[in-house]
């Protein structure tokens, strides 16, 4: 059975044509049918609301921790989840820094130089993440 023509890709999911102006939504790489026999606008809405293929969900513990410091919007939760997925981070958020000075203050107080602390921040493992809209920095537990 033919899967139809690929119309669009949203959040890594693939929208394909079906018969009679209906559409199907498939998981990345056409692995499985997620939604079938729906309109194009329903397919697009489904893809926009479904983020499991682009972002890890933010744990309850991480949500509670971050909510002490900032207002968690859908945009922030999605950005943190995308970062976690990109670096395959499964730990919770364990630290929040309001800005770089707060970050440096914390790390220099335990013996790191500012240069060493900056190297940690940009270490490439994804352990730290700068939040959107200059809301600060977070650290993931390993």
């Amino acid at each position: 059975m033919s899967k139809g023509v690929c119309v669009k890709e949203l959040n890594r999911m693939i929208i394909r044509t079906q018969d009679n102006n209906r559409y199907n939504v498939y998981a990345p790489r056409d692995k499985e049918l997620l939604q079938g026999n729906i309109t194009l606008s329903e397919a697009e809405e489904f893809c926009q609301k479904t983020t499991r293929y682009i972002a890890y969900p933010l744990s309850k513990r991480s949500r509670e921790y971050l909510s002490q410091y900032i207002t968690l919007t859908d945009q922030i939760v999605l950005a943190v989840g995308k970062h976690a997925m990109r670096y395959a981070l499964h730990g919770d958020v364990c630290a929040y820094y309001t800005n770089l000075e707060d970050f440096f203050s914390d790390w220099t107080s335990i013996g790191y130089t500012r240069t060493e602390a900056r190297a940690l921040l940009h270490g490439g493992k994804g352990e730290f993440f700068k939040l959107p809209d200059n809301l600060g920095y977070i650290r993931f537990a390993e």
Side-chain angles (χ1 to χ4, degrees), residues 1-19:
M1 181 175 150
S2 173
K3 288 187 177 178
V5 176
C6 179
V7 176
K8 188 181 267 190
E9 185 176 327
L10 282 171
N11 284 347
R12 298 188 58 221
M13 290 168 280
I14 300 163
I15 300 173
R16 292 187 172 278
T17 58
Q18 190 184 314
D19 297 327

Side-chain angles (χ1 to χ4, degrees), residues 51-59 77-78 80-91:
T51 60
R52 71 178 175 221
Y53 298 108
I54 61 166
Y56 287 158
L58 193 58
S59 70
V77 170
L78 183 60
V80 172
K82 282 181 174 180
H83 180 81
M85 182 173 267
R86 178 178 182 198
Y87 290 97
L89 302 170
H90 297 284

Side-chain angles (χ1 to χ4, degrees), residues 18-53:
Q18 190 184 314
D19 297 327
N20 304 324
N21 283 335
R22 303 301 276 182
Y23 297 85
N24 294 329
V25 178
Y26 290 89
R29 296 182 294 282
D30 288 329
K31 293 285 185 190
E32 66 178 298
L33 177 67
L34 301 173
Q35 288 283 306
N37 197 29
I38 57 179
T39 66
L40 181 58
S41 62
E42 289 170 334
E44 290 172 339
E45 183 179 349
F46 174 81
C47 291
Q48 289 167 347
K49 289 183 177 179
T50 305
T51 60
R52 71 178 175 221
Y53 298 108

Side-chain angles (χ1 to χ4, degrees), residues 1 17 19 31 45-46 52 66 69-70 82 87 92 103 106 108 111 114-116 119 132 137 140-141:
M1 181 175 150
T17 58
D19 297 327
K31 293 285 185 190
E45 183 179 349
F46 174 81
R52 71 178 175 221
L66 285 174
Y69 305 103
I70 61 172
K82 282 181 174 180
Y87 290 97
D92 290 320
F103 173 81
D106 195 38
T108 56
R114 285 177 71 93
T115 302
E116 291 168 333
Y137 295 81
F140 289 88

Side-chain angles (χ1 to χ4, degrees), residues 79-132:
V80 172
K82 282 181 174 180
H83 180 81
M85 182 173 267
R86 178 178 182 198
Y87 290 97
L89 302 170
H90 297 284
D92 290 320
V93 173
C94 66
Y96 170 78
Y97 308 99
T98 55
N99 55 36
L100 274 178
E101 285 308 313
D102 185 24
F103 173 81
F104 287 135
S105 172
D106 195 38
W107 286 89
T108 56
S109 71
I110 58 172
Y112 287 85
T113 66
R114 285 177 71 93
T115 302
E116 291 168 333
R118 186 177 302 278
L120 282 175
L121 182 65
H122 301 293
K125 299 186 319 182
E127 179 181 0
F128 298 96
F129 177 62
K130 182 179 180 184
L131 295 169

